[in-house]
């Protein structure tokens, strides 16, 4: 039985600022100073968020199990749509960036070949590719996934290159001295040694992918969290806009937490910056 | 002035045969540095040789050349009649910084070289178990290097090269980062292993006492360019007593040789500082 | 001598500034359609009435409403549907005039052999949300007893997108038909990407009228400016009705910067017309149909007679002797 590490004082400190903001917000809305269109009250946002969360139809044992029904609300549909796009796009981006990054990091010739193009393309935000994406891929998931792939690609690439280049030469020498050939050196030495950098790149790439999915959903598709916010805007539901934003924040937090845990697990051998 | 070593007892070439070895780094434009000049050295099989000298005398450079990490600018190195062209498991290397693979456990680090040689699983297990026992690492087999003390890490490094049954051990100031007590313990362990397995050991150190304690022959080197200043045979029986008169006769003799070179090293540093 | 000249220049400067300071600024929101041309033309003749009109182009009517709420726009052209939804959502506007009629067409892919609305069953139809074209499309589908949704599962799949993207989507076969405005539908037909299915004017809304909406603030607090504005509107519309050559030139060159051909414009204006008037009844019928077909998802639909204020228009028409 683990003793909880939450000290009352720490909890109070963490909750104080959000609570204060909520209180001010509620006061401003209740006072009628601001048009509810511009700033809906916290109560309205909460009501709308709960409605967003709740299942759309009443429970019908004939149609589905209880648990499935519980998760059938619009929010869950949107969140899973956005999340699946993020994951797909991220995996695609990482799958392209990882081999290229490993090659560019390991071989100076290959690096010189691709680096100029990379440096020109990298500063272009994925959002700027939207018109092109729609032109090339049409509507629906393909352009959205393309943009997300683009968003995840560059952080993973740059960090992989850095990781490979920062592999301490002494590991290479040790491995060579132990008889390692090129493949073994690459797969069993350079790759794990570069892992901390690569995983950092993955975490950043995932974050970027999440940002891009929200924007991409406003343009090309008709479900997902980004789309829902756009729809709320077109129906003048400011409370749903904020409810959607809060949901996006929570989902982003969950994703980042997940990535962080994954990192800790995979890098349990790694102590800070030391690698010796 | 070069000292030529005469192989004792054996007819023909020495086991490790270094002839007219020179190593120059850099080029005319950036200021060439002659690290080694015209080294002639023959090492017998089963001999324990220490390379002794201050920083900048090229002892590590010489060791790296034997290991095969660099190609000589002039001259040749051969082991058992075959020229050295690349690193390999016949010349196991132990580094001052341990160079253990941090992403592998103690056991996996030791297993690494054996897997490269495609040894059958059972034999690997037996070999590794034996080594863990020999170096008192059995309790730590599943730990990662980050959890180990310096002394333990160096034991793992030694176990790693012993696993491959390398006939030659190249050791680059392996105990330099350890405290005096651990250092003495490991020195004794090393001697025990050497006496048991009769490896050929080339040991680099800047500690006069260590060289006399360990070596059959101490090769004192000059400061830049690195040449062999003098070779001193240590004929004391092991276990050697560092407080004995005979021991101190050797240390005095070597101290004088080393201090001359240390003085030149200091002069060089002052010159460099004055030029800035 | 120099001092005299300096004094004179100073006087002129003060005078000029004073005159300029008397010009009232009206911030106008507009959309890029052929039949919104007269509204765009207003800024050219506004100085005559001591007005400066700053026009800002939006992508669709629904986008203008948040700008009005934020206080950045005083008057706007809009489809009635967007105005009704805006009003229901809390945008403080009045309808003060109608400025064009028609301007809607349902266009289908030529290769799909779609001959009537009933053939749209099982198809994907694109439309911009909040435009008159949306409500008309749904009314037509209802007339032919078809169900629709933006999620798969009903007879017709509605795909919402911007006006500017509809033509490309049709051309690239991402949608099978579209309910589009002018001149875009004429362009699509002339370029061969689509064939006309129908002009959806046979519902109880008839030809849809586009509205000029004004903030309550401007109507109530800057009445004089509002009146002058309506006069500019009436004169601009009259010019466009009487001088079709000028209208075409202005729309093609200033509004569309040469992107539409004369043929496109003429085809567009054969499907739309410039007008002054709108009725309370038209707004109410549109409101009722929006509720009936679930457009706008309004919790509390506005009552037309509460917010359709045509008095300024009537006055302007009288002043400029229009029937």
């Amino acid at each position: 039985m683990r003793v909880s590490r939450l000290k009352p004082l720490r909890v109070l400190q963490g909750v104080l600022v959000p609570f204060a903001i909520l209180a001010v917000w509620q006061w401003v809305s209740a006072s009628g100073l601001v048009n509810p269109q511009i700033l809906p009250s916290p109560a309205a946002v909460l009501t709308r968020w709960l409605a967003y969360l709740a299942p759309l139809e009443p429970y019908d044992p004939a149609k589905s199990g209880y648990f499935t029904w519980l998760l059938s609300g619009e929010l869950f549909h949107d969140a899973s749509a956005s999340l699946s796009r993020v994951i797909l796009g991220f995996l695609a981006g990482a799958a392209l960036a990882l081999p290229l990054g490993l090659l560019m990091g390991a071989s100076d010739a290959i690096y010189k070949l691709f680096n100029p193009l990379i440096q020109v393309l990298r500063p272009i935000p994925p959002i700027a590719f939207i018109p092109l994406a729609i032109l090339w891929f049409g509507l629906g998931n393909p352009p959205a996934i393309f943009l997300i792939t683009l968003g995840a690609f560059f952080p993973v690439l740059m960090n992989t290159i850095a990781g490979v280049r920062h592999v301490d030469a002494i590991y290479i020498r040790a491995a060579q001295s132990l008889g390692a050939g090129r493949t073994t050196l690459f797969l069993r030495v350079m790759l794990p040694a570069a892992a901390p950098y690569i995983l950092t790149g993955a975490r950043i790439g995932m974050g970027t992918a999440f940002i891009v999915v929200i924007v991409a959903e406003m343009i090309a598709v008709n479900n997902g969290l980004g789309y829902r916010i756009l729809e709320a805007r077109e129906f003048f539901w400011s409370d749903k806009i904020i409810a959607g934003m809060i949901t996006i924040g929570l989902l982003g937090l969950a994703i980042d937490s997940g990535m962080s845990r994954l990192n800790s697990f995979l890098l349990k051998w790694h102590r800070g910056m030391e690698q010796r | 002035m070069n000292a030529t070593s005469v192989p004792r007892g054996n007819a023909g070439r020495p086991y490790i045969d270094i002839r007219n070895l020179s190593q120059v780094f850099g080029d005319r434009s950036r200021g060439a540095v002659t690290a080694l000049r015209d080294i002639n050295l023959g090492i017998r099989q089963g001999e324990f040789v220490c390379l002794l000298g201050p920083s900048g005398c090229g002892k590590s450079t010489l060791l790296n050349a034997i290991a095969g990490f660099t190609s000589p600018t002039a001259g040749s190195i051969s082991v058992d009649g075959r020229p050295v062209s690349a690193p390999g498991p016949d010349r196991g290397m132990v580094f001052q910084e341990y160079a253990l693979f941090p992403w592998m456990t103690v056991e996996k680090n030791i297993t690494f070289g054996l897997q490269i040689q495609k040894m059958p699983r059972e034999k690997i297990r037996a070999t590794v178990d034996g080594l863990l026992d020999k170096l008192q690492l059995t309790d730590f087999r599943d730990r990662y290097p980050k959890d180990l003390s310096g002394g333990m890490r160096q034991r793992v490094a030694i176990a790693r090269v012993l696993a491959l049954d390398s006939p030659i051990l190249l050791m680059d100031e392996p105990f330099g980062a350890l405290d005096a007590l651990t250092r003495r313990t490991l020195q004794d362990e090393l001697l025990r292993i050497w006496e048991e397995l009769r490896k050929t050991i080339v040991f680099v150190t800047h500690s006069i006492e260590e060289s006399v304690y360990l070596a059959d022959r101490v090769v004192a080197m000059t400061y830049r360019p690195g040449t062999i200043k003098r070779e001193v045979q240590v004929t004391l029986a092991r276990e050697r007593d560092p407080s004995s008169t005979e021991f101190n006769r050797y240390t005095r003799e070597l101290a004088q040789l080393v201090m001359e070179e240390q003085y030149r090293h200091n002069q060089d540093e002052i010159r460099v500082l004055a030029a800035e | 001598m120099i001092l005299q000249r300096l004094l004179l220049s100073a006087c002129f400067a003060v005078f000029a500034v004073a005159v300029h300071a008397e010009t009232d600024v009206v911030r106008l929101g507009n959309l890029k359609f052929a039949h919104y041309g007269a509204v765009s033309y207003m800024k050219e003749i506004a100085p005559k009435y001591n007005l400066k009109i700053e026009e800002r182009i939006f992508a669709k009517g629904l986008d203008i409403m948040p700008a009005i709420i934020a206080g950045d726009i005083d008057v706007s052209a809009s489809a009635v549907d967007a105005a009704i939804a805006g009003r229901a959502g809390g945008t403080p506007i009045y309808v003060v005039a109608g400025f064009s009629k028609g301007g809607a067409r349902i266009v289908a892919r030529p290769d799909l052999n779609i001959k009537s609305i009933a053939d749209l069953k099982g198809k994907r139809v694109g439309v911009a949300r909040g435009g008159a074209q949306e409500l008309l499309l749904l009314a037509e589908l209802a007339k032919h007893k078809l169900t629709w949704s933006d999620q798969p599962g009903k007879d017709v799949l509605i795909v919402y997108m911007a006006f500017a993207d509809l033509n490309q989507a049709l051309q690239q076969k991402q949608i099978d038909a579209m309910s589009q405005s002018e001149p875009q539908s004429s362009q699509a037909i002339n370029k061969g990407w689509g064939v006309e299915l129908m002009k959806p004017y046979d519902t109880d809304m008839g030809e849809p009228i586009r509205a000029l909406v004004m903030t309550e603030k401007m109507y109530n607090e800057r009445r004089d400016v509002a009146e002058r504005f309506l006069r500019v509107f009436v004169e601009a519309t009259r010019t466009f009705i009487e001088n079709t050559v000028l209208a075409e030139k202005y729309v093609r060159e200033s509004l569309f910067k040469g992107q539409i051909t004369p043929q496109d414009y003429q085809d567009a204006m054969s499907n739309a017309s410039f007008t002054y008037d709108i009725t309370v009844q038209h707004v109410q019928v549109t409101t009722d149909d929006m509720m009936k077909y679930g457009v706008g998802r309004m919790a509390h639909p506005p009552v037309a007679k509460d917010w359709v204020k045509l008095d300024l228009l009537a006055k302007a028409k009288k002043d400029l002797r229009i029937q």
Side-chain angles (χ1 to χ4, degrees), chain A:
Chain A
M1 178 72 174
R2 278 246 307 262
V3 175
S4 171
R5 286 187 294 153
L6 285 162
K7 297 198 180 70
L9 187 66
R10 289 263 295 272
V11 173
L12 195 65
Q13 277 180 320
V15 167
L16 200 62
V17 171
F19 188 75
I21 291 179
L22 266 171
V24 171
W25 180 6
Q26 175 62 40
W27 179 82
V28 169
S29 294
S31 72
L33 278 171
V34 186
N35 184 343
Q37 261 293 314
I38 296 182
L39 187 70
S41 73
V45 172
L46 183 65
T47 315
R48 187 68 87 146
W49 192 73
L50 290 171
Y52 190 32
L53 191 67
L56 293 165
E57 290 161 9
Y59 180 51
D60 179 3
K63 275 205 191 150
S64 65
Y66 186 67
F67 199 63
T68 319
W69 172 79
L70 209 60
L71 296 177
S72 67
E74 194 182 43
L75 186 154
F76 293 106
H77 282 284
D78 287 339
S80 68
S82 298
L83 196 62
S84 57
R85 288 186 186 111
V86 168
I87 291 176
L88 255 158
F90 172 77
L91 288 176
L96 290 170
L98 200 64
L100 184 63
L102 291 171
L103 283 172
M104 282 178 73
S107 157
D108 212 31
I110 296 184
Y111 181 82
K112 288 203 178 94
L113 208 64
F114 283 100
N115 193 44
L117 183 66
I118 304 273
Q119 291 310 329
V120 168
L121 290 176
R122 183 164 65 103
I124 307 176
I127 295 164
F129 279 89
I130 287 176
L132 214 61
I134 297 184
L135 213 61
W136 286 348
F137 299 96
L139 297 171
N141 275 331
I145 306 261
F146 168 72
L147 292 167
I148 297 165
T149 304
L150 208 59
F153 177 79
F154 286 104
V156 176
L157 180 73
M158 302 314 293
N159 276 275
T160 304
I161 295 176
V164 174
R165 288 183 149 196
H166 279 106
V167 172
D168 201 329
I170 211 171
Y171 297 134
I172 314 265
R173 285 194 163 180
Q176 285 172 329
S177 182
L178 291 165
R182 287 259 288 267
T183 324
T184 313
L185 199 65
F186 201 70
L187 288 174
R188 295 196 60 194
V189 179
M190 291 184 92
L191 198 55
Y197 283 83
I198 296 178
L199 288 171
T200 303
R203 195 161 164 207
I204 297 173
M206 196 59 154
T208 312
F210 190 62
I211 293 174
V212 174
V213 80
I214 300 302
V215 179
E217 283 179 350
M218 290 189 176
I219 310 296
V221 302
N222 56 4
N223 60 15
L225 293 166
Y227 171 77
R228 202 58 59 196
I229 292 186
L230 187 73
E231 189 195 50
R233 176 186 185 253
E234 294 190 338
F235 286 127
F236 305 101
W237 296 329
S238 299
D239 46 11
K240 193 165 186 186
I241 292 177
I242 297 183
M245 287 167 65
I246 291 175
T247 311
I248 290 174
L250 290 173
L251 191 61
L253 185 67
I255 289 177
D256 195 56
S257 286
M259 288 299 282
S260 189
R261 292 252 173 126
L262 185 70
N263 270 21
S264 294
F265 173 72
L266 289 174
L267 296 179
K268 58 185 184 287
W269 51 264
H270 185 53
R271 176 180 48 195
M273 292 307 290
E274 289 174 33
Q275 286 191 31
R276 303 220 163 143

